[in-house]
Amino acid sequence: MAIEITRSRKYSLVVSTPVMPAAGAFGFADSYRAMIDYEKLGALVTNPVTIDAWNPAAGTRTVPLDAGLLLHTGLPNPGLRKVIRRYRKTWSNLPIPVILHLAGTSVQHVSQAVNLLDEVDEVAAVELGLSDDLTEGEALALVCAASKLEKPLLVRLPFYECYQLALPAAEAGADALVLTAAPRGTARDAHSGRLVSGRIYGPLIKPMILRLVGRLRREVAAEVPIIGCGGIHSPQDARDYIDAGAIAVQVDTATWAQPKMLERISRDLGGWIATRRKDALLDEWNPDMGHTEALQRRAPAPRANDLGK
Amino acid sequence: MAIEITRSRKYSLVVSTPVMPAAGAFGFADSYRAMIDYEKLGALVTNPVTIDAWNPAAGTRTVPLDAGLLLHTGLPNPGLRKVIRRYRKTWSNLPIPVILHLAGTSVQHVSQAVNLLDEVDEVAAVELGLSDDLTEGEALALVCAASKLEKPLLVRLPFYECYQLALPAAEAGADALVLTAAPRGTARDAHSGRLVSGRIYGPLIKPMILRLVGRLRREVAAEVPIIGCGGIHSPQDARDYIDAGAIAVQVDTATWAQPKMLERISRDLGGWIATRRKDALLDEWNPDMGHTEALQRRAPAPRANDLGK
Amino acid sequence: MRESQAYIERIKRVNRQYQRLELAVHQSLTSVLAGQALLARRIEKDFESERWDPYLRKLWFPVDLHAGNLLTIELSAHEQFSPGELLSIIGPIGQPFRFRQKLRNILLIANQTTPAPLLMMLPSLLKRQVSVTMVLMGEARAYDTSHLPGEVEIIHAEDDLSWNDMVMTLGWADQVFAACDPGDELRHFADILRLMRERRNDVPLNYAFGVFQRTLPCGVGACHACVLNLRGAQKLQCVDGLAFDLTTLRMN
Amino acid sequence: MRESQAYIERIKRVNRQYQRLELAVHQSLTSVLAGQALLARRIEKDFESERWDPYLRKLWFPVDLHAGNLLTIELSAHEQFSPGELLSIIGPIGQPFRFRQKLRNILLIANQTTPAPLLMMLPSLLKRQVSVTMVLMGEARAYDTSHLPGEVEIIHAEDDLSWNDMVMTLGWADQVFAACDPGDELRHFADILRLMRERRNDVPLNYAFGVFQRTLPCGVGACHACVLNLRGAQKLQCVDGLAFDLTTLRMN
Ligand SMILES: Cc1cc2nc3c(=O)[nH]c(=O)nc-3n(C[C@H](O)[C@H](O)[C@H](O)COP(=O)(O)OP(=O)(O)OC[C@H]3O[C@@H](n4cnc5c(N)ncnc54)[C@H](O)[C@@H]3O)c2cc1C
Ligand SMILES: Cc1cc2nc3c(=O)[nH]c(=O)nc-3n(C[C@H](O)[C@H](O)[C@H](O)COP(=O)(O)OP(=O)(O)OC[C@H]3O[C@@H](n4cnc5c(N)ncnc54)[C@H](O)[C@@H]3O)c2cc1C
Ligand SMILES: Cc1cc2nc3c(=O)[nH]c(=O)nc-3n(C[C@H](O)[C@H](O)[C@H](O)COP(=O)(O)O)c2cc1C
Ligand SMILES: Cc1cc2nc3c(=O)[nH]c(=O)nc-3n(C[C@H](O)[C@H](O)[C@H](O)COP(=O)(O)O)c2cc1C
Ligand code: FES
Ligand code: FES
């Protein structure tokens, strides 16, 4: 497969599978190398990077929710220069293109970053993250600054403002829209007893963002691809986004709960699973089956000694 | 307790507990009379009513989701005149005020409804439901038309547009804002295999709407109370809304899953549960404990014959 | 109808496909009649923490009541329960089946679904000497009937839903009760009604009933997600059903 | 580190409060050392349907390894498991504890938490003739130690966290490992460090370690939700921890 996931221009990004991790879920480079076959993914999207180093958030960072969680990390990262220096070599050895997620803080910072990133061949494309609560003007100024990039520019829109920003962002130079960043919310931290704010993740996010994708696909100019991102937890979830008009999808926190799900989704949409032999063992079919399960199916009531050796 | 949950004017609505069901969750009058002690609730909010009768939606109406559901009923109702005729008597016998939810379709319909409802003493207040996808102008015209009412007017705002509409709605005459209607979404119906649209319910909605309440409480004029509505599934959820600035809360689909939760929340916020005797049986403490459980605690391993007689 | 707790007293595997749970129920449920159902939900041990996945209650049709307060439920053997588990039950849901007073022959149809909604009536009908024939259609043909009373005549329909002596069976029956796959109930019921109309001069009122199994979010008439358009009126499946006369149904 | 499946081979109730699960694990986990942990999650029987509540994995510290591949986990007796259940495990998480080569006396502290993260080291240290003292503070004082090896000296601290002969114990210990309530770890560790500084002339490097138990969303260094500020650098609890030298920690 060869899927062009950004606008056809001088520069565009072609992936072999329309599935990739979402920014923030997968680390800067090879955190999941021991668990996921990177070759089966369409691309790597890095954690958000800023020009200057950012410290982690103080206080509560995770609040468990019913079938989900609230997360507030503060986007700790060592700053763009260090990130490039530290991960450049690893990126060049990956079998898939690297999309660097740039947190859009100010026009000046974005311009600086664009200048730096144009020199880094290991980065195939940039995803600009627009923060919530920007005015439309501020958001567009950031997209304009980023569109000076000589590589494809993806723009990830905030959840609540996504209607308002989608068309202007596409006109201002986004080569693809990523819909959307996780919605912000507030939950009570049981330990401190305080209400804390952060982003909300979980499968119930999906129907909301799926609807946004379906509607915006009808409104945004057809040459600007839309990448669906939000609450994907199964191959069917991913296919739903494709049916609603997305060219590709990003998988976020599902990877933390069940790392191989990302690969399973990617194999599914990438066409690696087309047929299944009658009576195939589960681990021949699902990449996330370890051999323990295969053994179990062969011998229904295993003893300790049958396993793991 | 006596809590004024609408703006202090000639007419205002005072409730004894800041807890009520959300429109659509509780029926038109006494559907839950066998299971919930209405006296413990602050008010009854009816299912949405329109001037003309509405038919149920064709096709799939519910799609189960992880810790939630998608619902699309089409708001079937026999029309305002019939609703008044059919339930008036029951309303007058209820120990709590009745808030009629009026689905805002057109200015003409709303004006008609206002004229009818001013004559119905059994209705203590009206909640106007603003549909999604209205322009700001359309929404305000509906609120203005409804504010001619000689009773308190609550306005329930749609989820995605709630920022945009909150301040104007308050200025146009809303005596309280209900934040918010359940967000719309799209999910795949496993039976038909089709993507269907509807409203999304479940606990994960709460952190998002809680944040909206917290922020809008700082922006909306202080004399306009805010009623929190979205994903409340426990007394703590309800208290979180109060902490974030809501004067009262509405409980939606939690009631369907666990009917007595509404009463438990209401008792909690209404101050009916202040102390618990050491070693109290669970059913002396929680209104939703049937006597089966009490028996179980007294006799740890009950036989069939010990129960239910 | 009210909410009460029930215990799982015992679990029996009745065959390869099905298990039966014996629930020790509150007395408000000991008068459940054929046609009525329960909305069930597991309860956490500590009673304080609720789990919200799965979210809505399950619709369970009792298949038997014995020893005064033991209600039997038949479920797929795949679902995992343990004896001693506690459940929250809303019920009884709906109205009992309305059998003709002079009922002598009854036809039960299960199309793409388990016949569980139709089993509760068997003991009392058989005691009243009513002849019972059960037709299994589509995937329901795989239903293992070895645990049902021997007096029930079992027929496996053809792929086109017909069976041998169909005209005779339909003429012979005083009443028909059908259950279908809840995913596409209206279409399945329309198919069955068409079959009948092709084979009988006339399908009278109070002859053919469909037992509806759509998801009931509330079960008490509050949510109006279960409204059905019947000739002349909107009816609530959870309050006025769960069975409706198929000839009064607007099939759209 | 990788993902693998594990079986619950056996469940033992060790006392009123705790149960121990014996997990038959994949060989990649048979070299787990004291200080390392697992991130565990239940698996649905059919392997295809995933349940997403609870959402994140649980952090489990093994307390024993025997028979080559049986890892023992100690959990509250309230959590319900059954023998034969299948789990998905990510691990081993983090680095083994770094004991001094000439370790002779070790002090273990559990403050408002179970000492489970500190138990795996016991068999090998006792075999090496290391003297082990365990101080239980706050609610940890209710921890029933009857199942621990008799050689371990148990001390119950006072409400102010002090105990008899505290100065002596702290001087005697070559190393200290502490676990605290993950809800407010930094404050608890700061309290413990303050105690030590008040009672010892000097708290050297490689003396006092805190075992961190904060929620690890990913456990593999991807999400950066577990970043800790150590003197001079940001460290990942899941990759560089789970124990860190308390004197290098920025307590804010
Ligand atoms: C482009 C971009 C993308 C971003 N993406 C993410 C992301 O994906 N994930 C993420 O976690 N952050 C992300 N951030 C950082 C995040 O936006 C800021 O930390 C956030 O704006 C502050 O939270 P708030 O405004 O929603 O909450 P507010 O309530 O307005 O926060 C007010 C203050 O409280 C502090 N605060 C909020 N929550 C907590 C808490 N739980 N504990 C202690 N203090 C708290 C904040 O740091 C802030 O100083 C992103 C920032 C940018 C610019
Ligand atoms: C004030 C107000 C409040 C309302 N509140 C609610 C409410 O709380 N709950 C509620 O369910 N409805 C509610 N409705 C009705 C609802 O708004 C309309 O039915 C809805 O606008 C149509 O869905 P949509 O526009 O989101 O989806 P669209 O995708 O735009 O719908 C397009 C068409 O598809 C049909 N359709 C949508 N979903 C399905 C489906 N699942 N199966 C078959 N056909 C479908 C719709 O009827 C519509 O004709 C409310 C309406 C108003 C005016
Ligand atoms: C939206 C936004 C989010 C930011 N988040 C962080 C952060 O998470 N960590 C950080 O070290 N700096 C962050 N910064 C950088 C701040 O501008 C600055 O370094 C510092 O945190 C400001 O201190 P303050 O909390 O008083 O505003 C952020 C800036 C913006 C505009
Ligand atoms: C937002 C909105 C929602 C409506 N929903 C319903 C409904 O659920 N059921 C109904 O019978 N009429 C509904 N109506 C009333 C319609 O105006 C009208 O009766 C009819 O359904 C229109 O047919 P259409 O589907 O071709 O638009 C709704 C009207 C509006 C503006
Ligand atoms: S299920 Fe709610 S009204 Fe019937
Ligand atoms: S838990 Fe995700 S980086 Fe450590």
Side-chain angles (χ1 to χ4, degrees):
Chain A
M1 264 199 254
I3 303 167
E4 192 173 36
I5 62 164
T6 59
R7 201 193 292 235
S8 293
R9 300 213 210 197
K10 196 164 61 157
Y11 314 99
S12 86
L13 184 61
V14 174
V15 298
S16 63
T17 320
V19 180
M20 61 197 88
F26 213 64
F28 294 100
D30 58 356
S31 303
Y32 275 104
R33 72 186 172 287
M35 281 187 247
I36 292 176
D37 181 0
Y38 280 42
E39 210 152 331
K40 295 290 182 294
L41 306 179
L44 174 99
V45 183
T46 69
N47 276 10
V49 184
T50 47
I51 279 283
D52 300 322
W54 277 12
N55 278 320
T60 309
R61 298 191 195 152
T62 46
V63 179
L65 304 170
D66 296 85
L69 82 156
L70 175 143
L71 186 77
H72 177 71
T73 65
L75 302 187
N77 80 88
L80 182 57
R81 283 181 190 79
K82 271 204 189 148
V83 166
I84 293 172
R85 221 177 307 134
R86 206 174 282 175
Y87 298 108
R88 185 165 206 162
K89 181 105 186 294
T90 314
W91 291 338
S92 75
N93 289 327
L94 291 178
I96 47 173
V98 172
I99 302 173
L100 186 128
H101 182 98
L102 179 68
T105 44
S106 70
V107 167
Q108 192 208 336
H109 279 180
V110 168
S111 300
Q112 267 181 276
V114 162
N115 290 336
L116 281 170
L117 287 166
D118 267 333
E119 306 301 316
V120 183
D121 291 339
E122 292 81 359
V123 170
V126 172
E127 177 180 282
L128 176 72
L130 293 181
S131 146
D132 316 64
D133 302 325
L134 294 178
T135 65
E136 197 176 313
E138 289 165 348
L140 292 191
L142 293 176
V143 176
C144 272
S147 70
K148 304 286 180 294
L149 192 77
E150 304 245 312
K151 302 176 199 264
L153 174 71
L154 295 76
V155 176
R156 185 165 73 162
L157 299 179
F159 174 80
Y160 297 100
E161 294 81 3
C162 111
Y163 258 106
Q164 194 186 332
L165 294 179
L167 274 80
E171 276 172 32
D175 296 318
L177 297 177
V178 181
L179 304 182
T180 68
R184 290 196 173 277
T186 300
R188 183 157 321 256
D189 170 37
H191 290 300
S192 69
R194 288 210 302 246
L195 288 175
V196 296
S197 63
R199 292 177 188 273
I200 309 297
Y201 298 90
L204 210 64
I205 301 305
K206 188 205 121 190
M208 284 179 258
I209 300 186
L210 182 62
R211 174 173 179 268
L212 295 174
V213 167
R215 299 194 134 202
L216 281 171
R217 183 61 290 172
R218 296 195 282 272
E219 294 178 22
V220 172
E223 70 264 25
V224 180
I226 288 176
I227 297 171
C229 173
I232 294 176
H233 284 73
S234 69
Q236 186 59 54
D237 285 346
R239 278 185 247 125
D240 291 350
Y241 272 103
I242 305 288
D243 280 9
I247 187 107
V249 296
Q250 295 185 349
V251 177
D252 48 33
T253 52
T255 306
W256 303 343
Q258 203 53 292
K260 287 278 185 159
M261 186 54 83
L262 174 59
E263 188 177 329
R264 202 197 281 193
I265 293 168
S266 213
R267 283 171 178 263
D268 189 282
L269 268 67
W272 274 289
I273 300 184
T275 61
R276 160 146 89 161
R277 181 164 66 81
K278 178 168 168 295
D279 221 42
L281 288 166
L282 281 169
D283 55 348
E284 295 173 69
W285 176 248
N286 295 313
D288 48 351
M289 293 300 106
H291 76 273
T292 315
E293 160 61 6
L295 282 175
Q296 185 199 15
R297 284 210 23 186
R298 292 190 208 273
R303 309 265 329 139
N305 298 348
D306 302 334
L307 292 168
K309 282 276 148 162
Chain B
M1 263 200 256
I3 303 166
E4 192 173 35
I5 63 165
T6 59
R7 200 193 292 233
S8 293
R9 300 213 209 196
K10 198 166 61 160
Y11 313 98
S12 86
L13 184 62
V14 174
V15 297
S16 62
T17 321
V19 180
M20 60 196 89
F26 212 64
F28 294 100
D30 59 355
S31 304
Y32 275 104
R33 71 186 173 287
M35 280 186 247
I36 292 176
D37 181 359
Y38 280 43
E39 210 152 330
K40 295 289 182 293
L41 306 179
L44 174 99
V45 183
T46 69
N47 277 9
V49 183
T50 48
I51 278 284
D52 300 322
W54 276 12
N55 279 319
T60 309
R61 299 189 194 153
T62 46
V63 179
L65 304 171
D66 296 85
L69 83 155
L70 174 143
L71 186 78
H72 176 72
T73 66
L75 302 186
N77 79 90
L80 182 56
R81 283 180 190 79
K82 273 205 188 146
V83 166
I84 293 172
R85 222 178 305 134
R86 207 175 280 174
Y87 299 107
R88 184 165 207 163
K89 182 106 185 296
T90 315
W91 291 338
S92 76
N93 289 327
L94 291 180
I96 48 173
V98 171
I99 302 173
L100 185 129
H101 182 99
L102 179 68
T105 43
S106 70
V107 168
Q108 192 209 335
H109 279 181
V110 168
S111 300
Q112 266 181 277
V114 162
N115 290 336
L116 281 171
L117 287 166
D118 267 334
E119 305 302 316
V120 183
D121 291 340
E122 292 82 358
V123 170
V126 172
E127 177 180 282
L128 176 71
L130 293 182
S131 147
D132 316 64
D133 301 324
L134 296 178
T135 65
E136 196 175 315
E138 289 164 347
L140 291 189
L142 293 175
V143 177
C144 273
S147 70
K148 304 286 180 295
L149 192 77
E150 305 246 312
K151 301 177 198 265
L153 174 70
L154 295 75
V155 176
R156 185 165 74 163
L157 299 179
F159 175 80
Y160 296 100
E161 295 81 2
C162 111
Y163 258 106
Q164 194 187 332
L165 295 179
L167 274 80
E171 276 172 31
D175 296 318
L177 296 177
V178 181
L179 304 182
T180 69
R184 290 196 174 277
T186 301
R188 186 162 313 261
D189 170 37
H191 290 301
S192 69
R194 288 208 303 245
L195 288 176
V196 296
S197 63
R199 291 177 188 275
I200 308 298
Y201 298 90
L204 211 64
I205 301 305
K206 188 205 120 190
M208 286 180 257
I209 301 186
L210 182 62
R211 174 173 179 270
L212 296 174
V213 167
R215 299 194 134 202
L216 281 171
R217 183 62 289 170
R218 295 195 284 271
E219 294 178 21
V220 172
E223 70 263 26
V224 181
I226 288 177
I227 297 171
C229 173
I232 294 176
H233 284 73
S234 69
Q236 185 58 55
D237 285 346
R239 279 185 247 125
D240 290 350
Y241 273 103
I242 306 288
D243 280 9
I247 188 107
V249 297
Q250 295 185 350
V251 177
D252 48 33
T253 53
T255 305
W256 303 343
Q258 201 54 291
K260 286 276 186 161
M261 185 55 83
L262 174 60
E263 188 177 329
R264 203 198 280 193
I265 293 169
S266 213
R267 282 171 179 262
D268 189 281
L269 268 66
W272 273 289
I273 301 185
T275 60
R276 161 145 90 161
R277 181 164 65 81
K278 179 169 167 293
D279 221 43
L281 288 165
L282 280 168
D283 55 347
E284 295 173 69
W285 176 249
N286 295 313
D288 48 350
M289 294 296 106
H291 77 273
T292 316
E293 161 60 7
L295 282 175
Q296 186 200 13
R297 285 210 23 186
R298 291 191 210 274
R303 306 270 327 144
N305 298 347
D306 302 335
L307 292 167
K309 283 275 148 160
Chain C
M1 188 219 328
R2 48 162 288 172
E3 198 223 334
S4 62
Q5 275 92 48
Y7 262 107
I8 303 181
E9 267 289 311
R10 185 179 294 140
I11 303 178
K12 288 189 221 166
R13 183 75 170 254
V14 292
N15 57 37
R16 202 169 33 83
Q17 305 160 326
Y18 289 93
Q19 61 187 329
R20 288 186 163 201
L21 312 188
E22 286 186 9
L23 308 184
V25 295
H26 182 253
Q27 60 188 14
S28 58
L29 293 172
T30 55
S31 52
V32 164
L33 291 170
Q36 294 182 305
L38 315 176
L39 284 169
R41 185 181 175 81
R42 291 177 189 217
I43 296 182
E44 292 302 305
K45 285 265 140 69
D46 62 1
F47 267 89
E48 298 272 338
S49 69
E50 287 280 344
R51 294 288 300 274
W52 302 105
D53 189 29
Y55 196 72
L56 293 179
R57 288 167 176 260
K58 297 270 181 265
L59 186 66
W60 284 354
F61 286 86
V63 298
D64 195 16
L65 173 67
H66 70 273
N69 73 336
L70 287 181
L71 264 189
T72 306
I73 309 291
E74 187 174 295
L75 297 172
S76 159
H78 291 301
E79 295 184 57
Q80 301 239 333
F81 295 92
S82 329
E85 259 187 277
L86 214 48
L87 304 167
S88 156
I89 306 279
I90 294 179
I93 303 289
Q95 307 300 327
F97 291 139
R98 276 158 297 233
F99 298 112
R100 298 206 165 171
Q101 283 213 315
K102 299 213 173 133
L103 181 68
R104 283 186 315 192
N105 304 309
I106 192 167
L107 180 65
L108 308 178
I109 298 178
N111 184 3
Q112 306 280 10
T113 185
T114 150
L118 309 172
L119 300 184
M120 179 89 171
M121 63 173 87
L122 295 182
S124 63
L125 291 189
L126 293 172
K127 214 154 109 192
R128 282 168 57 191
Q129 311 277 341
V130 177
S131 309
V132 183
T133 297
M134 182 182 290
V135 181
L136 302 172
M137 298 176 171
E139 290 181 18
R141 290 176 295 187
Y143 181 81
D144 180 342
T145 57
S146 55
H147 62 300
L148 300 187
E151 299 95 315
V152 178
E153 183 195 11
I154 307 288
I155 293 175
H156 292 89
E158 305 295 325
D159 285 343
D160 66 356
L161 307 189
S162 74
W163 63 91
N164 275 345
D165 302 326
M166 188 172 173
V167 174
M168 220 182 67
T169 328
L170 287 173
W172 157 92
D174 304 312
Q175 276 189 309
V176 182
F177 287 85
C180 294
D181 172 15
D184 208 357
E185 263 177 356
L186 283 182
R187 190 177 64 76
H188 287 306
F189 283 134
D191 288 348
I192 287 175
L193 193 60
R194 193 172 25 73
L195 277 180
M196 291 183 188
R197 292 214 156 111
E198 286 165 10
R199 264 81 173 183
R200 264 182 83 108
N201 288 341
D202 143 68
V203 178
L205 268 180
N206 286 322
Y207 172 76
F209 290 88
V211 186
F212 282 77
Q213 297 181 73
R214 287 193 192 175
T215 309
L216 298 179
C218 76
V220 306
C223 72
H224 285 236
C226 71
V227 174
L228 281 169
N229 278 327
L230 292 172
R231 196 183 289 154
Q234 293 188 358
K235 292 284 181 189
L236 292 172
Q237 177 188 331
C238 66
V239 172
D240 308 309
L242 304 157
F244 292 106
D245 189 323
L246 290 179
T247 61
T248 68
L249 210 63
R250 270 187 21 204
M251 293 292 184
N252 52 16
Chain D
M1 187 219 328
R2 46 163 287 173
E3 198 223 334
S4 61
Q5 274 93 48
Y7 262 108
I8 302 181
E9 268 288 311
R10 186 180 294 141
I11 303 177
K12 288 189 221 164
R13 183 76 169 253
V14 293
N15 57 37
R16 201 169 33 80
Q17 306 159 327
Y18 289 94
Q19 60 187 331
R20 288 188 162 200
L21 312 188
E22 286 186 10
L23 308 184
V25 296
H26 181 252
Q27 60 188 15
S28 58
L29 293 172
T30 55
S31 51
V32 165
L33 291 170
Q36 294 182 305
L38 315 176
L39 283 170
R41 184 182 176 81
R42 291 177 189 216
I43 296 182
E44 292 302 306
K45 286 265 140 69
D46 63 2
F47 266 88
E48 298 271 338
S49 68
E50 287 279 344
R51 295 287 300 274
W52 301 105
D53 189 27
Y55 196 71
L56 294 179
R57 288 168 175 261
K58 298 269 181 265
L59 186 66
W60 284 355
F61 287 85
V63 299
D64 195 15
L65 172 68
H66 69 274
N69 72 336
L70 287 181
L71 264 190
T72 306
I73 309 291
E74 186 173 297
L75 298 172
S76 159
H78 292 300
E79 294 185 58
Q80 302 240 332
F81 296 91
S82 329
E85 258 186 279
L86 214 49
L87 304 167
S88 156
I89 306 277
I90 295 178
I93 303 290
Q95 308 300 326
F97 290 140
R98 276 157 296 233
F99 298 112
R100 299 205 165 172
Q101 284 213 313
K102 300 214 173 133
L103 181 67
R104 284 187 312 191
N105 304 310
I106 191 167
L107 179 65
L108 308 178
I109 298 178
N111 184 2
Q112 306 280 10
T113 185
T114 150
L118 309 172
L119 300 184
M120 179 90 170
M121 64 173 87
L122 294 182
S124 64
L125 290 189
L126 292 173
K127 213 155 109 193
R128 281 170 57 192
Q129 311 278 340
V130 176
S131 309
V132 182
T133 298
M134 182 181 289
V135 181
L136 301 172
M137 297 176 171
E139 290 181 18
R141 289 176 294 186
Y143 181 81
D144 180 341
T145 57
S146 55
H147 64 299
L148 300 187
E151 299 95 316
V152 179
E153 182 196 14
I154 308 288
I155 294 175
H156 293 89
E158 306 295 324
D159 284 344
D160 67 356
L161 307 189
S162 73
W163 62 91
N164 274 343
D165 301 326
M166 189 173 172
V167 175
M168 220 182 67
T169 328
L170 287 172
W172 156 93
D174 302 313
Q175 277 188 309
V176 183
F177 287 85
C180 294
D181 172 15
D184 209 357
E185 263 176 357
L186 283 182
R187 190 177 63 77
H188 286 306
F189 283 133
D191 288 348
I192 288 174
L193 193 60
R194 192 173 26 74
L195 277 181
M196 292 182 186
R197 293 214 155 111
E198 286 166 10
R199 262 82 174 184
R200 264 182 81 107
N201 289 339
D202 142 68
V203 178
L205 267 181
N206 287 322
Y207 172 76
F209 290 87
V211 186
F212 282 77
Q213 298 182 72
R214 286 193 193 175
T215 308
L216 297 179
C218 77
V220 306
C223 72
H224 285 235
C226 70
V227 174
L228 282 169
N229 279 326
L230 292 172
R231 195 183 291 153
Q234 293 188 359
K235 293 285 182 188
L236 292 172
Q237 177 187 331
C238 66
V239 171
D240 308 310
L242 305 157
F244 291 105
D245 189 322
L246 290 178
T247 61
T248 67
L249 211 62
R250 270 182 26 200
M251 294 291 185
N252 54 17

